[in-house]
Amino acid sequence: MKLLHFSDPHVQLPHWRERTLRELGPLRALATVELWKGRGRDYDFALERLHAIVRAGAAADHVVCTGDLTQLAHEEEFALAREALEPLRGKLTVIAGNHDRYPLGAKPNRLFEEHFPEHGCEVALAAGVALIKLDTSGAVSWPVISRGHAKKLDALAETLRAPSLSGRCKLVLVHHAPLRANGGGDLPWHSLAGARALLQVAAEGNAQAILCGHIHERYDVPAAPGRARVICAGSSTKRGDAGYWEIEIAAGEIASAVQRTL
Ligand SMILES: [Fe+2]
Ligand SMILES: [Fe+2]
């Protein structure tokens, strides 16, 4: 079974440089400061790279995206991402990232749920694999302070123990990376609260790995006592570092994980 894991495509508004404050609203206009600082240039061709990933996904049995589909959680960005991912319908599992949950006015943004309604279930099953989702972004996320929270870990532990999943390769999907490439913690304003407990629950529940993104680096940290393996896909469409993981699964285990570059 071949699984393609990518993350953080960050599809952005076409012609974002010409959008006015009035059109974007104050919060999104504030968020474009990051784009102007260089991030926008890094993702000018994000949509084209996402199309390339989708073409590669044709050869995979299943495809996983661990969040941050958009830059500003803007309706147009979601529509573009949705359209690009359409060829993978039926073999795609997506979760939301913090960038997908920037509020609209004072209200939580439900555009992810509107554009990807079929991804609301907590466990997705593919051939021999159970993909268990844990939302670390919450209903509302803000620009700049992008901390995540690993909650409902008791429910995760119970799901991992479920007899219906035994014999399958169990993979936990989160957006926020529970550790860095060197095994240490992330920067406080960018990190995942509850990371240590998540790593332990996943290990005790015999999860083969935690798949994540958020940290824009691609790495694979092996399991250790009381700590599950972590595979981070980084940002799959970022200029100069576009790529994804190709994960082979056999007999309920990860047989290999290989990085592919675009
Ligand atoms: Fe990201
Ligand atoms: Fe993120």
Side-chain angles (χ1 to χ4, degrees):
M1 194 274 188
K2 188 154 82 172
L3 185 76
L4 188 158
H5 171 215
F6 75 101
S7 198
D8 296 55
H10 286 294
V11 171
Q12 63 188 12
L13 286 172
H15 312 295
W16 60 269
R17 293 170 181 83
E18 288 126 55
R19 308 284 177 138
T20 62
L21 169 66
R22 193 170 165 181
E23 186 188 348
L24 291 174
L27 180 73
R28 275 167 187 71
L30 175 69
T32 58
V33 170
E34 291 291 314
L35 304 188
W36 285 108
K37 276 163 68 182
R39 188 183 176 104
R41 191 167 160 247
D42 284 344
Y43 291 93
D44 272 337
F45 296 96
L47 187 60
E48 286 77 0
R49 294 184 192 117
L50 180 57
H51 281 297
I53 293 164
V54 169
R55 284 194 294 275
D61 297 296
H62 200 82
V63 178
V64 167
C65 174
T66 41
D68 278 357
L69 291 157
T70 66
Q71 289 281 42
L72 304 172
H74 194 285
E75 170 99 52
E76 282 179 57
E77 295 173 333
F78 276 114
L80 287 168
R82 170 86 223 181
E83 197 183 350
L85 292 168
E86 201 55 36
L88 298 177
R89 184 185 274 269
K91 63 172 189 176
L92 173 71
T93 300
V94 183
I95 60 172
N98 56 301
H99 280 253
D100 305 319
R101 293 271 172 79
Y102 289 176
L104 287 171
K107 291 188 187 147
N109 183 339
R110 303 291 293 168
L111 287 171
F112 175 83
E113 285 73 14
E114 284 175 25
H115 283 82
F116 296 92
E118 70 276 33
H119 295 274
C121 58
E122 284 177 8
V123 180
L125 298 178
V129 177
L131 302 160
I132 301 140
K133 305 174 200 171
L134 187 74
D135 182 1
T136 56
S137 301
V140 171
S141 293
W142 299 94
V144 185
I145 303 160
S146 56
R147 196 150 202 246
H149 299 268
K151 295 177 181 170
K152 300 185 181 171
L153 293 178
D154 289 347
L156 174 65
E158 198 175 320
T159 303
L160 286 166
R161 281 197 303 267
S164 58
L165 303 189
S166 74
R168 289 180 180 268
C169 176
K170 291 180 277 193
L171 301 170
V172 178
L173 312 186
V174 294
H175 175 61
H176 294 76
L179 43 74
R180 296 191 69 83
N182 63 8
D186 196 1
L187 301 166
W189 59 89
H190 194 262
S191 64
L192 177 63
R196 200 178 290 256
L198 166 64
L199 289 161
Q200 188 168 353
V201 166
E204 288 171 358
N206 295 319
Q208 280 282 299
I210 297 171
L211 306 188
C212 62
H214 190 59
I215 293 177
H216 289 183
E217 291 168 38
R218 207 159 297 117
Y219 55 85
D220 179 1
V221 180
R227 193 186 81 185
R229 179 179 184 175
V230 174
I231 298 177
C232 180
S235 176
S236 295
T237 61
K238 188 180 178 186
R239 179 172 61 108
D241 192 27
Y244 52 87
W245 284 101
E246 215 172 73
I247 301 172
E248 286 281 344
I249 293 161
E253 294 185 0
I254 294 177
S256 66
V258 179
Q259 283 193 50
R260 302 283 183 210
T261 50
L262 288 181

